[in-house]
Amino acid sequence: MKIISVVGARPNFMKIAPFIRAIESYNATSDNFIDHCLVHTGQHYDDRMSQAFFEQLDIPEADINLGVGSGSHAEQVGYTMIEFEKVLRSRQPDWVVIVGDVNAILACSVAAKKENILCCHIEAGLRSGDMTMPEEINRLVADRISDLLLTPDRISSENLLNEGIPGHKIRFTGNIMIDTLEHSRNKAQRMRIEDIISANSVNGFRTRFNGFSESGYVLMTLHRPSNVDRKEVLEPIVRFIMDEVCSEMPVIWTIHPRTRKMMHSFGLLDEVMSNNNLIMLEPLGYLEMLKLNMYARAIMTDSGGLQEESTVLGTPCLTFRWNTERPVTLQEHGGTSKLVGNSIDLIRKEFLTALKKSRNPVIPELWDGHTAERCLQAIIDYKTINAGNSLLKVKEYGRS
Ligand code: UD1
């Protein structure tokens, strides 16, 4: 069997690493060799957004890099489709495997299905219901046309069924990103927070910062267009952080390239960088981020993956969004995350509540570190199951 799996942007790398390991273990013990090819669309290209993850997570170098780089959504998706179609035609895989919700999944699922190649989506069925979110469009298209939909939780399987996707295409396999978390916990644990800060600092805090007090620190990330692309939204958040959070405890903010550019263009960057209690870091490697998350008093983020990791680690998480495609991470479903949108009143209220909370790790069903094996098995089993389904269909057809 020939599989091409695709990565494009930072959150994909921790999802593909365990899948590649699962293929390697399978090949070591089975006579049916799986020929695997890794394609990187090149959407994320900075070392810190891409190469660093390959190294830390032991992902073999991509066999092919499509080099699409930055651009508008149409440019990224269009260039990816054009280049990926060439790969499909020359490699003729049995399966294309896509992970997550970035632009690569839209481009590569469409290209694969137009070449009549089976497509499997790992992390299928997540729905925010928010059509202004580029990722929601990617999820809807990819899930509608993929042949095998592997879901991280039961709510996602229900979402797919409610959209009319036949049940035989859906398998609840668990959260593959948690495989990487479990695989990396001990390595991350051995890192020192001071070393992470001094190696990644943007604003040279060491000259002004005297170390952490008992109160701990808040960890922050922000990159969604809905939070960072407009000054009238970003500025009040930044002011709240500087005026009310930094006065309580240090804030460690790992800054995404998009956010850094926007802060610079809004004239906010210099002020933030000169705040004595705000530690601005470059985009971090996976292990560094995991370590900081393990010890943060609270996390403020609009990332999807961090809502999940915080739930498993037990870190109180303020999610700077009005909706989430990951409801299992919400406090009302037993997780640690609270949606606060970009309302300063709500952020303040939940921040004060979070400070009173103690760390409470939660492991949702099948977030057990073995999702990748189940995903690979679902692909291997697909033909048998699907053959059964076609037979059933033919029988039902004959009867009517
Ligand atoms: C993308 C994903 C998002 C994911 C995020 C994680 C989509 C639709 N969005 O958003 O789901 O949560 O990645 O980071 O696929 N840039 C660099 N260096 C890089 C990559 C990007 O400087 O290596 C700059 C680009 O020039 C661009 C900005 O960052 O101006 C945003 O990059 P882009 O890839 O368009 O989307 P993200 O916001 O990163």
Side-chain angles (χ1 to χ4, degrees):
M1 178 162 56
K2 275 193 196 176
I3 298 179
I4 289 186
S5 51
V6 183
V7 290
R10 184 171 61 176
N12 290 160
F13 307 134
M14 36 285 206
K15 295 170 192 168
I16 214 64
F19 184 68
I20 295 176
R21 268 200 312 281
I23 293 179
E24 285 165 357
S25 315
Y26 178 85
N27 280 345
T29 54
S30 167
D31 295 335
N32 302 320
F33 184 77
I34 295 175
D35 179 0
H36 178 247
C37 167
L38 181 63
V39 172
H40 189 333
T41 67
Q43 177 179 343
H44 283 179
Y45 45 84
D46 283 356
D47 275 0
R48 284 177 176 271
M49 301 293 285
S50 180
Q51 189 53 34
F53 288 80
F54 277 70
E55 286 161 17
Q56 277 195 343
L57 302 176
D58 290 326
I59 306 173
E61 205 173 320
D63 298 285
I64 298 166
N65 191 315
L66 305 181
V68 300
S70 298
S72 70
H73 285 271
E75 283 167 339
Q76 285 186 355
V77 171
Y79 289 140
T80 303
M81 284 183 69
I82 292 167
E83 294 306 317
F84 192 59
E85 184 185 65
K86 294 177 194 160
V87 174
L88 293 174
R89 288 185 177 172
S90 73
R91 298 255 173 169
Q92 305 271 321
D94 301 292
W95 281 95
V96 166
V97 173
I98 52 176
V99 290
D101 57 15
V102 306
N103 286 334
I105 71 160
L106 167 56
C108 297
S109 60
V110 174
K113 290 318 299 168
K114 282 181 179 276
E115 290 295 301
N116 206 12
I117 294 165
L118 289 167
C119 185
C120 166
H121 183 198
I122 298 180
E123 204 191 69
L126 296 182
R127 295 291 182 271
S128 67
D130 178 358
M131 289 299 284
T132 65
M133 200 182 174
E135 294 81 357
E136 185 74 354
I137 299 163
N138 296 342
R139 295 181 197 114
L140 283 166
V141 175
D143 286 349
R144 185 67 187 82
I145 63 176
S146 289
D147 302 277
L148 184 56
L149 298 163
L150 305 178
T151 65
D153 53 62
R154 291 189 187 277
I155 299 173
S156 301
S157 301
E158 284 298 318
N159 290 340
L160 294 171
L161 290 169
N162 291 339
E163 287 173 13
I165 308 256
H168 69 87
K169 286 186 166 189
I170 307 166
R171 287 276 172 285
F172 166 40
T173 45
N175 189 333
I176 199 160
M177 214 179 60
I178 304 306
D179 290 18
T180 296
L181 188 152
E182 295 304 345
H183 190 75
S184 314
R185 248 184 216 269
N186 293 340
K187 263 196 223 166
Q189 186 66 56
R190 288 194 291 274
M191 294 183 137
R192 290 181 61 236
I193 290 176
E194 290 76 2
D195 294 342
I196 295 172
I197 291 175
S198 62
N200 296 284
S201 172
V202 174
N203 59 346
F205 89 100
R206 280 196 151 239
T207 52
R208 293 175 283 113
F209 188 78
N210 299 323
F212 294 106
S213 64
E214 290 284 294
S215 63
Y217 59 89
V218 166
L219 181 60
M220 170 146 163
T221 80
L222 216 56
H223 74 282
R224 296 222 168 267
S226 56
N227 280 326
V228 306
D229 282 5
R230 281 180 299 145
K231 188 175 182 185
E232 64 271 26
V233 175
L234 184 58
E235 186 166 15
I237 295 176
V238 168
R239 297 254 164 258
F240 170 77
I241 299 298
M242 290 199 295
D243 298 345
E244 299 187 43
V245 185
C246 289
S247 52
E248 286 284 331
M249 63 182 66
V251 173
I252 302 181
W253 184 350
T254 69
I255 189 115
H256 188 282
R258 171 193 285 276
T259 313
R260 191 169 180 168
K261 270 187 213 164
M262 299 317 292
M263 299 244 288
H264 179 68
S265 71
F266 299 151
L268 293 168
L269 192 61
D270 289 345
E271 193 183 340
V272 169
M273 293 234 270
S274 59
N275 185 303
N276 274 338
N277 227 12
L278 194 145
I279 301 161
M280 187 166 285
L281 302 184
E282 300 283 359
L284 291 178
Y286 179 77
L287 298 173
E288 288 84 351
M289 196 64 191
L290 185 56
K291 173 77 184 199
L292 292 183
N293 195 350
M294 282 173 172
Y295 288 88
R297 280 287 296 283
I299 181 160
M300 298 184 175
T301 188
D302 58 9
S303 147
L306 281 169
Q307 296 168 46
E308 299 177 333
E309 288 165 340
S310 300
T311 288
V312 171
L313 297 174
T315 318
C317 176
L318 275 67
T319 300
F320 282 31
R321 291 175 48 189
W322 293 114
N323 50 56
T324 180
E325 61 289 335
R326 296 167 159 92
V328 284
T329 65
L330 292 176
Q331 290 176 14
E332 46 270 42
H333 289 271
T336 59
S337 160
K338 194 83 194 170
L339 297 178
V340 294
N342 41 37
S343 151
I344 301 303
D345 287 344
L346 208 49
I347 295 171
R348 179 184 298 114
K349 175 171 165 277
E350 292 302 331
F351 171 57
L352 296 174
T353 309
L355 292 187
K356 292 186 204 124
K357 287 202 167 132
S358 51
R359 187 167 282 280
N360 180 25
V362 179
I363 311 289
E365 190 182 358
L366 293 191
W367 291 25
D368 58 358
H370 297 287
T371 292
E373 291 107 286
R374 289 189 287 270
C375 291
L376 184 59
Q377 196 57 51
I379 292 173
I380 293 167
D381 292 346
Y382 175 86
K383 288 236 158 106
T384 331
I385 293 163
N386 203 46
N389 263 297
S390 320
L391 269 179
L392 196 71
K393 266 191 208 140
V394 171
K395 270 191 198 161
E396 282 172 355
Y397 208 66
R399 212 170 36 212
S400 64

